[in-house]
């Protein structure tokens, strides 16, 4: 199990592989972000996007999937998250793109009020298959501390 004490400021990780499909882009947009440029080739052609693009919120959801898969792979003692900061969508994500994540730990803090846990602060960048950054954010993860021996 990977506990709070196992995380080091400055450490980096690269993980994930998420293939964006047209069907999923349309399904997500239909349910949660039904703007025309996420649903119609014709409408998207008249915008900055040029063609159907994934909702930024869909990009967040795909990123969350890669984060959870990585947490499970690392066997992290994760406890969820109180939120994120500085979310930016830098480039459109299109059907056919393949996404991946790079993370850097920028802070590790034991909790002042809950001695059995703490938090990691991470700078996340999501890249497409051309190594172009498409999204950045600062995420906060809650993590258990190592139990006393």
């Amino acid at each position: 199990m990977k506990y709070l004490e196992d995380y080091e400021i400055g450490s980096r990780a690269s993980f994930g592989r998420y293939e964006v499909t047209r069907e999923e882009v349309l399904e997500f947009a239909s349910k949660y972000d039904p703007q025309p440029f996420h649903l119609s080739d014709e409408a998207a052609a008249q915008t900055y996007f040029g063609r159907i693009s994934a909702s930024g919120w869909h990009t967040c959801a795909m990123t969350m999937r890669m984060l959870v898969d990585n947490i499970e792979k690392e066997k992290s003692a994760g406890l969820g998250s109180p939120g994120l900061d500085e979310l930016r969508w830098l480039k459109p994500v299109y059907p056919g793109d393949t996404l991946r994540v790079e993370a850097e730990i920028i802070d590790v803090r034991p909790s002042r009020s809950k001695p059995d846990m703490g938090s990691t602060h991470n700078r996340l960048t999501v890249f497409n298959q051309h190594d172009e950054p498409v999204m950045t954010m600062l995420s906060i993860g809650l993590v258990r501390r190592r139990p006393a021996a």
Side-chain angles (χ1 to χ4, degrees):
M1 186 71 63
K2 188 171 183 176
Y3 295 99
L4 184 71
E5 294 79 5
D6 300 317
Y7 290 90
E8 293 182 25
I9 294 172
S11 65
R12 296 174 182 262
S14 184
F15 54 88
R17 177 179 169 76
Y18 198 103
E19 296 180 13
V20 183
T21 68
R22 180 180 174 88
E23 295 74 26
E24 190 175 307
V25 167
L26 293 171
E27 180 183 359
F28 186 98
S30 294
K31 286 183 173 183
Y32 305 111
D33 192 355
Q35 296 182 76
F37 45 84
H38 296 316
L39 295 168
S40 161
D41 291 309
E42 295 76 24
Q46 303 303 312
T47 68
Y48 153 82
F49 301 106
R51 56 190 167 115
I52 285 180
S53 63
S55 164
W57 297 112
H58 186 192
T59 302
C60 289
M62 293 182 279
T63 300
M64 189 66 204
R65 178 73 234 196
M66 291 184 283
L67 288 169
V68 170
D69 289 347
N70 191 60
I71 288 167
E72 290 174 354
K73 180 181 164 202
E74 284 190 335
K75 298 184 181 353
S76 174
L79 297 168
S81 172
L84 56 90
D85 295 311
E86 299 182 26
L87 172 64
R88 297 288 181 265
W89 296 305
L90 306 173
K91 278 184 92 65
V93 171
Y94 297 108
D97 283 351
T98 301
L99 305 178
R100 66 180 179 82
V101 178
E102 289 187 9
E104 177 187 6
I105 297 178
I106 57 175
D107 197 15
V108 179
R109 298 179 191 174
S111 172
R112 291 185 202 136
S113 61
K114 296 185 168 96
D116 61 332
M117 64 186 286
S119 62
T120 61
H121 296 240
N122 306 277
R123 180 176 291 113
L124 300 179
T125 305
V126 180
F127 293 89
N128 65 19
Q129 70 278 6
H130 304 295
D131 289 327
E132 299 167 325
V134 298
M135 187 179 84
T136 59
M137 69 174 155
L138 300 178
S139 72
I140 305 164
L142 301 176
V143 184
R144 283 187 191 95
R145 296 191 73 186
R146 188 177 312 287

